[in-house]
Amino acid sequence: MANTPEISTQLYLESKNAILAYLIQNIDQKLLEKGDEALLRRRVEELVEEKLRSEKLPFSRQMRNRLVSDMADEILGFGPIEPLLRDPTVTEVMVNRPDQVYCERFGKLELTDIQFRDLQHIRHVIDKIVTPLGRRVDESSPMVDARLPDGSRVNAIISPLSLNGPVLTIRKFSVDPYTVEDLIGFGTLTQGMAAFLAACVKVKLNVLVSGGSGAGKTTLLNVLSSFIPEGERVVTVEDAAELKLHQPHVVRLESRPPNIEGKGEIKIRDLVRNCLRMRPDRIVVGEVRGGEALDMLQAMNTGHEGSISTVHSNTPRDALARLETMVMMSGMDLPSRAIREQIAAAVHLIVQIGRLSDGSRKVISVTEIQGMEGNVIVLQDLFSFQQKGVGEGGKVLGTMQATGMVPKFIDRFNASSIHLPAEIFKRTSEVR
């Protein structure tokens, strides 16, 4: 009796394979093309029951229901990972190999009990995802970035580039993007900081959001963009469209990868240059990662104030170094000092966000660019997160505090009749 669960599991897996083959053979292609999910699910249920009766398989009603659900996911969805994609608490899905599927939930990675049959099964799901999007994955094109119709970002990479075999990563798109109230509730930032950042956006300061992978840069960018006044024309430029702005006058641009013949690629830089001809009041670039940094800085310095973007870096100083490197990637032969002067003149504020050891996301610092001293860009923290230890369950303890410095651009707030409480900037007070 001790071996019964193992025998049951093995029998279940074998039955799944046999039933899937039976479904593929017997399901009507016209029914698949019609796309009526309720009708398809009923037909799947009928065929599963038919196969179970003919094979006289000893499954309980609970196991039969699970088989129907699994088979429906295979036929209608993306196979074993479909439950993770439906789970609102899961933000990322990572398939490393058939018996190793991770997900991210509440900022923490966890190993799931989900399994694929074999490497070919993962390839089948990858193909099912990317083919309707007009993309392909094969030896001539062994990696792909794509976006699902719901906005989720997909990355797939196969052999020979991946030594594990096919690897699939899906960053899920939030149907209801987080609001500033949500971030305050999560402890990502404080009420006082939110009021300050809202004022910065309203008076058209150029803001750079900096952070590591998965730190929450795009979420914060979306929240900052929500502070843009409704009467302005906003043009967004993204690699994979994730931003969800609610202003009435928004134009969304998305880059395009090369086609099967390797032609037709439209880069972020092409879109940034084009959007300058579209009479934008604001330019929001999802992430600066190449030569478009120069075009963005020039736009910020030539009348397109109030631009917001993100950069992948771990500190505000690193963000400036990354920007300088990316400007050099533009092909323009500019001396370092000239690049730094452009950066210092263009960017007013760097908001650093990070993912802490307990999985929580927090704004680590809000830093003003004060200008140049010699050949160095001068930075001044206005707010910073002070970690004070680790509590129960590994929870990071700390407070967000003002540094006591008042930003140089405070006069712009007053000129726009935005009056923030003086306490926000006092060093002794915790920002609330």
Side-chain angles (χ1 to χ4, degrees):
M1 290 296 290
N3 292 327
T4 302
E6 287 77 7
I7 293 169
S8 247
T9 302
Q10 185 61 31
L11 180 60
Y12 182 81
L13 292 173
E14 290 172 0
S15 301
K16 268 179 72 172
N17 296 341
I19 291 170
L20 183 59
Y22 183 73
L23 281 173
I24 292 168
Q25 187 177 0
N26 288 278
I27 204 158
D28 190 345
Q29 187 62 34
K30 288 181 181 177
L31 193 60
L32 286 171
E33 291 169 2
K34 192 175 180 182
D36 187 327
E37 188 168 327
L39 200 61
L40 266 169
R41 193 168 285 273
R42 280 200 300 274
R43 182 58 181 148
V44 167
E45 189 170 346
E46 288 168 5
L47 289 169
V48 170
E49 289 290 352
E50 194 176 283
K51 184 67 174 171
L52 288 174
R53 280 196 304 270
S54 67
E55 296 291 329
K56 297 181 180 177
L57 293 167
F59 289 137
S60 65
R61 173 49 56 189
Q62 185 181 358
M63 292 292 273
R64 285 168 183 257
N65 290 341
R66 183 180 161 193
L67 262 173
V68 170
S69 179
D70 286 353
M71 292 301 101
D73 288 342
E74 286 288 351
I75 298 295
L76 306 175
F78 299 134
I81 59 172
E82 188 65 28
L84 295 178
L85 298 179
R86 288 197 299 261
D87 186 340
T89 66
V90 172
T91 52
E92 199 139 6
V93 179
M94 292 144 277
V95 181
N96 296 341
R97 56 177 194 251
D99 61 344
Q100 191 183 75
V101 178
Y102 281 89
C103 74
E104 183 185 73
R105 191 181 267 115
F106 307 118
K108 287 281 196 177
L109 291 181
E110 57 183 65
L111 180 63
T112 71
D113 58 0
I114 287 170
Q115 293 193 3
F116 286 77
R117 291 190 303 277
D118 49 31
L119 295 176
Q120 194 54 43
H121 191 191
I122 302 176
R123 275 297 302 272
H124 171 72
V125 170
I126 290 173
D127 289 338
K128 196 169 183 182
I129 291 171
V130 303
T131 301
L133 306 175
R135 311 294 300 280
R136 69 174 189 184
V137 182
D138 54 31
E139 284 190 10
S140 64
S141 180
M143 61 181 177
V144 65
D145 270 308
R147 179 170 57 86
L148 292 176
D150 71 351
S152 297
R153 285 194 335 213
V154 178
N155 177 272
I157 185 165
I158 64 171
S159 300
L161 300 185
S162 167
L163 303 183
N164 286 28
V167 174
L168 175 64
T169 310
I170 300 176
R171 176 169 289 182
K172 288 173 60 182
F173 179 78
S174 176
V175 178
D176 298 312
Y178 291 132
T179 63
V180 66
E181 289 79 15
D182 291 326
L183 297 195
I184 292 168
F186 298 151
T188 302
L189 74 171
T190 63
Q191 193 81 50
M193 286 172 59
F196 172 74
L197 292 174
C200 291
V201 172
K202 286 171 184 171
V203 300
K204 287 196 161 188
L205 297 183
N206 295 320
V207 180
L208 193 63
V209 176
S210 166
S213 181
K217 298 187 296 296
T218 304
T219 299
L220 183 57
L221 178 64
N222 207 69
V223 166
L224 292 178
S225 300
S226 72
F227 299 136
I228 297 173
E230 289 201 349
E232 299 186 19
R233 176 174 169 86
V234 185
V235 181
T236 68
V237 179
E238 297 179 82
D239 206 26
E242 289 183 285
L243 295 173
K244 198 169 183 180
L245 275 63
H246 294 288
Q247 288 87 344
H249 199 163
V250 177
V251 179
R252 303 171 75 207
L253 306 181
E254 184 179 54
S255 64
R256 186 176 71 187
N259 61 18
I260 293 171
E261 288 78 34
K263 299 176 181 177
E265 180 180 17
I266 305 295
K267 297 181 178 179
I268 290 285
R269 187 171 192 189
D270 302 320
L271 296 178
V272 171
R273 286 172 169 174
N274 187 78
C275 78
L276 297 176
R277 305 183 187 103
M278 297 173 68
R279 199 257 175 226
D281 288 310
R282 306 273 186 153
I283 301 169
V284 179
V285 182
E287 183 173 355
V288 183
R289 56 179 69 165
E292 67 273 6
L294 176 61
D295 304 284
M296 189 185 73
L297 290 174
Q298 288 177 335
M300 289 175 171
N301 277 322
T302 54
H304 293 92
E305 288 192 311
S307 299
I308 316 172
S309 186
T310 75
V311 64
H312 193 113
S313 53
N314 294 322
T315 67
R317 183 65 66 185
D318 287 348
L320 298 181
R322 282 268 295 161
L323 271 183
E324 187 176 337
T325 302
M326 288 186 286
V327 169
M328 291 176 180
M329 291 166 63
S330 69
M332 295 287 286
D333 188 17
L334 296 170
S336 289
R337 182 175 175 83
I339 296 172
R340 289 172 191 172
E341 285 174 346
Q342 277 222 32
I343 293 171
V347 182
H348 299 105
L349 203 67
I350 301 173
V351 183
Q352 184 71 39
I353 187 166
R355 182 167 59 176
L356 305 185
S357 58
D358 61 357
S360 63
R361 273 96 169 173
K362 286 193 184 296
V363 172
I364 305 300
S365 63
V366 177
T367 304
E368 179 187 17
I369 293 182
Q370 294 197 315
M372 296 278 292
E373 272 188 14
N375 202 33
V376 178
I377 299 174
V378 179
L379 299 180
Q380 177 60 59
D381 284 349
L382 302 175
F383 307 99
S384 63
F385 178 72
Q386 306 296 322
Q387 185 169 336
K388 296 182 176 178
V390 178
E392 282 186 33
K395 182 176 174 58
V396 173
L397 305 176
T399 56
M400 178 61 71
Q401 296 182 332
T403 62
M405 301 300 297
V406 175
K408 289 173 63 177
F409 48 74
I410 193 75
D411 290 343
R412 292 179 67 158
F413 294 169
N414 298 330
S416 299
S417 299
I418 296 173
H419 304 292
L420 296 176
E423 291 75 28
I424 284 182
F425 303 110
K426 284 186 178 176
R427 182 183 181 91
T428 53
S429 65
E430 177 184 336
V431 186
R432 301 200 179 276

